[in-house]
CSV table of all heavy atoms in Angstrom, one decimal:
chain,number,residue,atom,x,y,z
X,1,LEU,N,0.8,-1.2,0.0
X,1,LEU,CA,0.0,0.0,0.0
X,1,LEU,C,0.8,1.3,0.0
X,1,LEU,O,0.6,2.2,-0.7
X,1,LEU,CB,-0.9,0.0,1.2
X,1,LEU,CG,-2.2,-0.8,1.1
X,1,LEU,CD1,-2.9,-0.9,2.5
X,1,LEU,CD2,-3.1,-0.2,0.1
X,2,VAL,N,1.9,1.3,0.8
X,2,VAL,CA,2.8,2.4,0.9
X,2,VAL,C,3.5,2.6,-0.4
X,2,VAL,O,3.6,3.8,-0.9
X,2,VAL,CB,3.8,2.3,2.1
X,2,VAL,CG1,4.8,3.4,2.0
X,2,VAL,CG2,3.1,2.3,3.4
X,3,LEU,N,4.0,1.5,-1.0
X,3,LEU,CA,4.7,1.6,-2.3
X,3,LEU,C,3.8,2.2,-3.4
X,3,LEU,O,4.2,3.1,-4.2
X,3,LEU,CB,5.3,0.3,-2.7
X,3,LEU,CG,6.4,-0.2,-1.9
X,3,LEU,CD1,6.8,-1.7,-2.2
X,3,LEU,CD2,7.7,0.6,-2.1
X,4,LEU,N,2.6,1.6,-3.5
X,4,LEU,CA,1.7,2.0,-4.6
X,4,LEU,C,1.1,3.4,-4.4
X,4,LEU,O,0.9,4.1,-5.3
X,4,LEU,CB,0.5,1.0,-4.7
X,4,LEU,CG,0.9,-0.3,-5.2
X,4,LEU,CD1,-0.2,-1.3,-5.2
X,4,LEU,CD2,1.4,-0.2,-6.7
X,5,ALA,N,1.0,3.8,-3.1
X,5,ALA,CA,0.6,5.2,-2.8
X,5,ALA,C,1.7,6.2,-3.3
X,5,ALA,O,1.4,7.3,-3.6
X,5,ALA,CB,0.3,5.4,-1.3
X,6,SER,N,3.0,5.7,-3.3
X,6,SER,CA,4.1,6.6,-3.7
X,6,SER,C,4.3,6.6,-5.2
X,6,SER,O,4.6,7.6,-5.8
X,6,SER,CB,5.4,6.1,-3.0
X,6,SER,OG,5.2,6.1,-1.6
X,7,ILE,N,4.1,5.4,-5.9
X,7,ILE,CA,4.5,5.3,-7.3
X,7,ILE,C,3.2,5.3,-8.2
X,7,ILE,O,3.4,5.4,-9.4
X,7,ILE,CB,5.3,4.1,-7.6
X,7,ILE,CG1,4.5,2.8,-7.2
X,7,ILE,CG2,6.6,4.1,-6.8
X,7,ILE,CD1,5.3,1.5,-7.5
X,8,GLY,N,2.0,5.2,-7.6
X,8,GLY,CA,0.8,5.3,-8.5
X,8,GLY,C,0.3,3.9,-8.9
X,8,GLY,O,0.9,2.9,-8.6
X,9,ARG,N,-0.8,3.9,-9.6
X,9,ARG,CA,-1.5,2.7,-10.0
X,9,ARG,C,-0.9,2.2,-11.4
X,9,ARG,O,-0.3,2.9,-12.1
X,9,ARG,CB,-3.0,2.9,-10.1
X,9,ARG,CG,-3.6,3.3,-8.8
X,9,ARG,CD,-5.1,3.6,-9.0
X,9,ARG,NE,-5.9,2.4,-9.5
X,9,ARG,CZ,-7.2,2.4,-9.6
X,9,ARG,NH1,-7.9,3.5,-9.4
X,9,ARG,NH2,-7.8,1.3,-10.0
X,10,GLY,N,-1.1,0.9,-11.6
X,10,GLY,CA,-0.7,0.3,-12.9
X,10,GLY,C,-0.3,-1.1,-12.7
X,10,GLY,O,0.1,-1.5,-11.6
X,11,VAL,N,-0.5,-1.9,-13.7
X,11,VAL,CA,-0.2,-3.3,-13.6
X,11,VAL,C,1.3,-3.5,-13.4
X,11,VAL,O,1.7,-4.4,-12.5
X,11,VAL,CB,-0.6,-4.1,-15.0
X,11,VAL,CG1,-0.1,-5.5,-14.9
X,11,VAL,CG2,-2.1,-4.0,-15.2
X,12,ASP,N,2.2,-2.8,-14.1
X,12,ASP,CA,3.6,-2.9,-13.8
X,12,ASP,C,4.0,-2.5,-12.4
X,12,ASP,O,4.9,-3.1,-11.8
X,12,ASP,CB,4.4,-2.1,-14.9
X,12,ASP,CG,4.0,-0.7,-14.9
X,12,ASP,OD1,2.8,-0.4,-14.5
X,12,ASP,OD2,4.8,0.1,-15.4
X,13,LYS,N,3.3,-1.5,-11.9
X,13,LYS,CA,3.6,-1.0,-10.5
X,13,LYS,C,3.1,-2.0,-9.5
X,13,LYS,O,3.8,-2.2,-8.5
X,13,LYS,CB,3.0,0.4,-10.3
X,13,LYS,CG,3.6,1.4,-11.2
X,13,LYS,CD,2.9,2.8,-11.0
X,13,LYS,CE,3.6,3.9,-11.9
X,13,LYS,NZ,3.4,3.6,-13.3
X,14,VAL,N,2.0,-2.7,-9.7
X,14,VAL,CA,1.5,-3.7,-8.8
X,14,VAL,C,2.5,-4.9,-8.8
X,14,VAL,O,2.8,-5.4,-7.7
X,14,VAL,CB,0.1,-4.2,-9.2
X,14,VAL,CG1,-0.3,-5.3,-8.3
X,14,VAL,CG2,-0.9,-3.0,-9.0
X,15,ILE,N,3.0,-5.3,-10.0
X,15,ILE,CA,3.9,-6.4,-10.0
X,15,ILE,C,5.2,-6.0,-9.3
X,15,ILE,O,5.7,-6.8,-8.5
X,15,ILE,CB,4.3,-6.7,-11.5
X,15,ILE,CG1,3.0,-7.3,-12.2
X,15,ILE,CG2,5.4,-7.6,-11.6
X,15,ILE,CD1,3.2,-7.5,-13.7
X,16,LEU,N,5.7,-4.8,-9.5
X,16,LEU,CA,6.9,-4.3,-8.8
X,16,LEU,C,6.7,-4.4,-7.2
X,16,LEU,O,7.6,-4.8,-6.5
X,16,LEU,CB,7.3,-2.9,-9.2
X,16,LEU,CG,8.5,-2.3,-8.5
X,16,LEU,CD1,9.7,-3.1,-8.7
X,16,LEU,CD2,8.7,-0.9,-9.0
X,17,ALA,N,5.5,-3.9,-6.8
X,17,ALA,CA,5.3,-3.8,-5.3
X,17,ALA,C,5.2,-5.3,-4.7
X,17,ALA,O,5.8,-5.5,-3.7
X,17,ALA,CB,3.9,-3.1,-5.1
X,18,ILE,N,4.6,-6.2,-5.4
X,18,ILE,CA,4.5,-7.6,-4.9
X,18,ILE,C,5.9,-8.2,-4.9
X,18,ILE,O,6.2,-9.0,-4.0
X,18,ILE,CB,3.5,-8.4,-5.8
X,18,ILE,CG1,2.1,-7.8,-5.6
X,18,ILE,CG2,3.4,-9.8,-5.3
X,18,ILE,CD1,1.0,-8.4,-6.5
X,19,VAL,N,6.7,-8.0,-6.0
X,19,VAL,CA,8.0,-8.5,-6.0
X,19,VAL,C,8.8,-8.1,-4.8
X,19,VAL,O,9.5,-8.8,-4.1
X,19,VAL,CB,8.8,-8.1,-7.3
X,19,VAL,CG1,10.3,-8.4,-7.2
X,19,VAL,CG2,8.2,-8.8,-8.5
X,20,LEU,N,8.7,-6.8,-4.4
X,20,LEU,CA,9.5,-6.2,-3.3
X,20,LEU,C,9.0,-6.8,-2.0
X,20,LEU,O,9.8,-6.8,-1.0
X,20,LEU,CB,9.4,-4.7,-3.3
X,20,LEU,CG,10.1,-4.0,-4.5
X,20,LEU,CD1,9.8,-2.5,-4.5
X,20,LEU,CD2,11.6,-4.3,-4.5
X,21,VAL,N,7.8,-7.2,-1.9
X,21,VAL,CA,7.3,-7.7,-0.6
X,21,VAL,C,7.4,-9.2,-0.5
X,21,VAL,O,7.2,-9.8,0.6
X,21,VAL,CB,5.9,-7.3,-0.3
X,21,VAL,CG1,5.7,-5.8,-0.2
X,21,VAL,CG2,4.9,-7.9,-1.3
X,22,GLN,N,7.7,-9.9,-1.6
X,22,GLN,CA,7.7,-11.4,-1.6
X,22,GLN,C,9.1,-12.0,-1.7
X,22,GLN,O,9.2,-13.2,-1.4
X,22,GLN,CB,6.8,-12.0,-2.7
X,22,GLN,CG,5.3,-11.9,-2.3
X,22,GLN,CD,4.4,-12.8,-3.2
X,22,GLN,OE1,4.9,-13.2,-4.3
X,22,GLN,NE2,3.3,-13.1,-2.8
X,23,TRP,N,10.1,-11.3,-2.2
X,23,TRP,CA,11.3,-11.9,-2.5
X,23,TRP,C,12.0,-12.4,-1.3
X,23,TRP,O,12.8,-13.4,-1.3
X,23,TRP,CB,12.3,-10.9,-3.2
X,23,TRP,CG,12.8,-9.8,-2.3
X,23,TRP,CD1,12.2,-8.6,-2.1
X,23,TRP,CD2,14.0,-9.9,-1.5
X,23,TRP,NE1,13.0,-7.9,-1.2
X,23,TRP,CE2,14.1,-8.6,-0.8
X,23,TRP,CE3,15.0,-10.8,-1.3
X,23,TRP,CZ2,15.1,-8.3,0.1
X,23,TRP,CZ3,16.0,-10.5,-0.4
X,23,TRP,CH2,16.1,-9.3,0.3
X,24,ALA,N,11.8,-11.8,-0.1
X,24,ALA,CA,12.5,-12.2,1.1
X,24,ALA,C,12.2,-13.6,1.6
X,24,ALA,O,13.1,-14.3,2.1
X,24,ALA,CB,12.2,-11.2,2.2
X,25,GLN,N,11.0,-14.1,1.4
X,25,GLN,CA,10.6,-15.4,1.8
X,25,GLN,C,11.4,-16.5,1.0
X,25,GLN,O,11.8,-17.5,1.5
X,25,GLN,CB,9.1,-15.7,1.7
X,25,GLN,CG,8.6,-15.5,0.3
X,25,GLN,CD,7.1,-15.8,0.3
X,25,GLN,OE1,6.5,-16.6,1.1
X,25,GLN,NE2,6.4,-15.2,-0.7
X,26,TYR,N,11.6,-16.2,-0.3
X,26,TYR,CA,12.3,-17.1,-1.1
X,26,TYR,C,13.8,-17.1,-0.8
X,26,TYR,O,14.5,-18.1,-0.8
X,26,TYR,CB,12.2,-16.7,-2.6
X,26,TYR,CG,10.7,-16.8,-3.1
X,26,TYR,CD1,10.1,-15.7,-3.6
X,26,TYR,CD2,10.0,-18.0,-3.0
X,26,TYR,CE1,8.8,-15.8,-4.1
X,26,TYR,CE2,8.7,-18.0,-3.5
X,26,TYR,CZ,8.1,-16.9,-4.0
X,26,TYR,OH,6.8,-17.0,-4.5
X,27,ALA,N,14.3,-15.9,-0.4
X,27,ALA,CA,15.7,-15.8,0.0
X,27,ALA,C,16.0,-16.6,1.2
X,27,ALA,O,17.0,-17.4,1.3
X,27,ALA,CB,16.1,-14.3,0.2
X,28,ARG,N,15.1,-16.6,2.2
X,28,ARG,CA,15.3,-17.3,3.5
X,28,ARG,C,15.3,-18.8,3.2
X,28,ARG,O,16.1,-19.6,3.7
X,28,ARG,CB,14.3,-16.9,4.5
X,28,ARG,CG,14.3,-17.8,5.7
X,28,ARG,CD,13.4,-17.3,6.8
X,28,ARG,NE,13.9,-16.0,7.4
X,28,ARG,CZ,13.3,-15.4,8.4
X,28,ARG,NH1,12.2,-15.8,8.9
X,28,ARG,NH2,13.9,-14.3,8.9
X,29,LEU,N,14.3,-19.3,2.4
X,29,LEU,CA,14.1,-20.7,2.1
X,29,LEU,C,15.3,-21.2,1.2
X,29,LEU,O,15.8,-22.3,1.5
X,29,LEU,CB,12.8,-20.9,1.4
X,29,LEU,CG,12.4,-22.3,1.1
X,29,LEU,CD1,12.3,-23.1,2.4
X,29,LEU,CD2,11.1,-22.4,0.4
X,30,MET,N,15.7,-20.4,0.3
X,30,MET,CA,16.8,-20.8,-0.6
X,30,MET,C,18.1,-20.9,0.2
X,30,MET,O,18.9,-21.9,0.0
X,30,MET,CB,17.0,-19.8,-1.7
X,30,MET,CG,18.1,-20.2,-2.7
X,30,MET,SD,17.6,-21.7,-3.6
X,30,MET,CE,19.1,-22.1,-4.5
X,31,ARG,N,18.3,-20.0,1.1
X,31,ARG,CA,19.5,-20.0,2.0
X,31,ARG,C,19.5,-21.3,2.8
X,31,ARG,O,20.6,-22.0,2.9
X,31,ARG,CB,19.6,-18.8,2.8
X,31,ARG,CG,20.7,-18.8,3.9
X,31,ARG,CD,20.6,-17.6,4.8
X,31,ARG,NE,21.6,-17.6,5.8
X,31,ARG,CZ,21.4,-18.2,7.0
X,31,ARG,NH1,20.2,-18.8,7.3
X,31,ARG,NH2,22.4,-18.2,7.9
X,32,ALA,N,18.4,-21.6,3.4
X,32,ALA,CA,18.3,-22.8,4.2
X,32,ALA,C,18.6,-24.1,3.4
X,32,ALA,O,19.4,-25.0,3.9
X,32,ALA,CB,16.9,-22.9,4.9
X,33,ALA,N,18.0,-24.2,2.2
X,33,ALA,CA,18.2,-25.4,1.4
X,33,ALA,C,19.7,-25.4,0.9
X,33,ALA,O,20.3,-26.5,0.9
X,33,ALA,CB,17.3,-25.4,0.2
X,34,ALA,N,20.2,-24.3,0.5
X,34,ALA,CA,21.6,-24.3,0.0
X,34,ALA,C,22.6,-24.6,1.1
X,34,ALA,O,23.7,-25.2,0.9
X,34,ALA,CB,21.9,-22.9,-0.6
X,35,LEU,N,22.3,-24.2,2.4
X,35,LEU,CA,23.3,-24.5,3.5
X,35,LEU,C,23.3,-26.0,3.7
X,35,LEU,O,24.4,-26.5,4.1
X,35,LEU,CB,22.8,-23.7,4.7
X,35,LEU,CG,23.1,-22.2,4.8
X,35,LEU,CD1,22.5,-21.7,6.1
X,35,LEU,CD2,24.6,-22.0,4.8
X,36,VAL,N,22.2,-26.7,3.6
X,36,VAL,CA,22.2,-28.1,3.7
X,36,VAL,C,23.0,-28.8,2.6
X,36,VAL,O,23.9,-29.6,2.9
X,36,VAL,CB,20.7,-28.6,3.7
X,36,VAL,CG1,20.7,-30.2,3.7
X,36,VAL,CG2,19.9,-28.1,4.9
X,37,GLU,N,22.9,-28.3,1.4
X,37,GLU,CA,23.6,-28.9,0.3
X,37,GLU,C,25.1,-28.5,0.4
X,37,GLU,O,26.0,-29.3,0.0
X,37,GLU,CB,23.1,-28.3,-1.0
X,37,GLU,CG,21.7,-28.8,-1.4
X,37,GLU,CD,21.6,-30.3,-1.6
X,37,GLU,OE1,22.6,-30.9,-2.1
X,37,GLU,OE2,20.6,-30.9,-1.2
X,38,ARG,N,25.4,-27.3,1.0
X,38,ARG,CA,26.8,-26.8,1.1
X,38,ARG,C,27.6,-27.7,1.9
X,38,ARG,O,28.9,-27.8,1.7
X,38,ARG,CB,26.7,-25.4,1.7
X,38,ARG,CG,28.0,-24.6,1.6
X,38,ARG,CD,28.3,-24.1,0.3
X,38,ARG,NE,29.6,-23.3,0.3
X,38,ARG,CZ,30.8,-23.8,0.2
X,38,ARG,NH1,30.9,-25.2,0.3
X,38,ARG,NH2,31.8,-23.1,0.2
X,39,ARG,N,27.1,-28.5,2.8
X,39,ARG,CA,27.8,-29.3,3.7
X,39,ARG,C,28.0,-30.8,3.1
X,39,ARG,O,28.7,-31.6,3.8
X,39,ARG,CB,27.1,-29.5,5.1
X,39,ARG,CG,26.9,-28.1,5.8
X,39,ARG,CD,26.3,-28.3,7.2
X,39,ARG,NE,26.1,-27.0,7.8
X,39,ARG,CZ,24.9,-26.5,7.9
X,39,ARG,NH1,23.9,-27.1,7.3
X,39,ARG,NH2,24.7,-25.3,8.5
X,40,LYS,N,27.5,-31.0,2.0
X,40,LYS,CA,27.5,-32.4,1.4
X,40,LYS,C,28.8,-32.6,0.7
X,40,LYS,O,29.5,-31.6,0.3
X,40,LYS,CB,26.3,-32.6,0.5
X,40,LYS,CG,25.0,-32.7,1.3
X,40,LYS,CD,23.8,-33.1,0.4
X,40,LYS,CE,22.6,-33.1,1.2
X,40,LYS,NZ,21.4,-33.5,0.4
X,41,GLU,N,29.2,-33.9,0.5
X,41,GLU,CA,30.5,-34.2,0.0
X,41,GLU,C,30.8,-33.8,-1.4
X,41,GLU,O,31.9,-33.4,-1.7
X,41,GLU,CB,30.7,-35.8,0.1
X,41,GLU,CG,30.7,-36.3,1.5
X,41,GLU,CD,30.9,-37.8,1.6
X,41,GLU,OE1,30.9,-38.4,0.5
X,41,GLU,OE2,31.0,-38.4,2.7
X,42,TYR,N,29.7,-33.8,-2.2
X,42,TYR,CA,30.0,-33.4,-3.7
X,42,TYR,C,30.4,-31.9,-3.8
X,42,TYR,O,31.1,-31.5,-4.7
X,42,TYR,CB,28.8,-33.8,-4.5
X,42,TYR,CG,27.6,-32.8,-4.4
X,42,TYR,CD1,27.3,-31.8,-5.3
X,42,TYR,CD2,26.7,-33.0,-3.3
X,42,TYR,CE1,26.2,-31.0,-5.2
X,42,TYR,CE2,25.6,-32.2,-3.2
X,42,TYR,CZ,25.3,-31.2,-4.1
X,42,TYR,OH,24.2,-30.4,-4.0
X,43,ILE,N,29.8,-31.1,-2.8
X,43,ILE,CA,30.2,-29.7,-2.8
X,43,ILE,C,31.6,-29.5,-2.3
X,43,ILE,O,32.4,-28.7,-2.8
X,43,ILE,CB,29.2,-28.8,-2.0
X,43,ILE,CG1,27.8,-28.8,-2.7
X,43,ILE,CG2,29.7,-27.4,-1.9
X,43,ILE,CD1,27.8,-28.1,-4.0
X,44,GLU,N,32.0,-30.3,-1.3
X,44,GLU,CA,33.3,-30.2,-0.7
X,44,GLU,C,34.3,-30.7,-1.7
X,44,GLU,O,35.4,-30.1,-1.8
X,44,GLU,CB,33.4,-31.1,0.5
X,44,GLU,CG,32.6,-30.5,1.7
X,44,GLU,CD,32.7,-31.4,2.9
X,44,GLU,OE1,33.4,-32.5,2.9
X,44,GLU,OE2,32.0,-31.1,4.0
X,45,ALA,N,33.9,-31.7,-2.5
X,45,ALA,CA,34.8,-32.2,-3.6
X,45,ALA,C,35.1,-31.1,-4.6
X,45,ALA,O,36.2,-30.9,-5.1
X,45,ALA,CB,34.2,-33.5,-4.2
X,46,ALA,N,34.0,-30.4,-5.0
X,46,ALA,CA,34.1,-29.3,-6.0
X,46,ALA,C,35.0,-28.2,-5.5
X,46,ALA,O,35.8,-27.7,-6.2
X,46,ALA,CB,32.7,-28.8,-6.3
X,47,VAL,N,34.9,-27.9,-4.2
X,47,VAL,CA,35.8,-26.9,-3.6
X,47,VAL,C,37.2,-27.3,-3.6
X,47,VAL,O,38.1,-26.6,-3.9
X,47,VAL,CB,35.3,-26.5,-2.2
X,47,VAL,CG1,36.3,-25.5,-1.5
X,47,VAL,CG2,33.9,-25.9,-2.3
X,48,ASN,N,37.4,-28.6,-3.2
X,48,ASN,CA,38.8,-29.1,-3.1
X,48,ASN,C,39.5,-29.2,-4.5
X,48,ASN,O,40.7,-29.1,-4.6
X,48,ASN,CB,38.8,-30.5,-2.5
X,48,ASN,CG,38.4,-30.4,-1.0
X,48,ASN,OD1,38.7,-29.4,-0.3
X,48,ASN,ND2,37.9,-31.5,-0.4
């Protein structure tokens, strides 16, 4: 609501506002999944 009140109405603006409020949940979930994979042997082998 705050974002759209600042930038105005429009399909593209609604998409931008939703992107800005939803990306964080994917970042947290991806980090958790990647940390699990990061400790596995095939990643350690790639680093070595």
Side-chain angles (χ1 to χ4, degrees):
L1 278 172
V2 172
L3 287 172
L4 290 173
S6 303
I7 62 179
R9 300 176 64 175
V11 174
D12 56 338
K13 295 179 177 64
V14 172
I15 293 174
L16 175 61
I18 297 176
V19 167
L20 292 177
V21 301
Q22 283 196 341
W23 72 269
Q25 61 177 332
Y26 299 122
R28 173 173 287 181
L29 185 59
M30 184 65 189
R31 174 183 176 271
L35 283 176
V36 173
E37 295 294 325
R38 190 74 178 79
R39 302 186 183 98
K40 293 186 177 179
E41 293 180 356
Y42 74 99
I43 294 293
E44 293 180 0
V47 174
N48 292 333

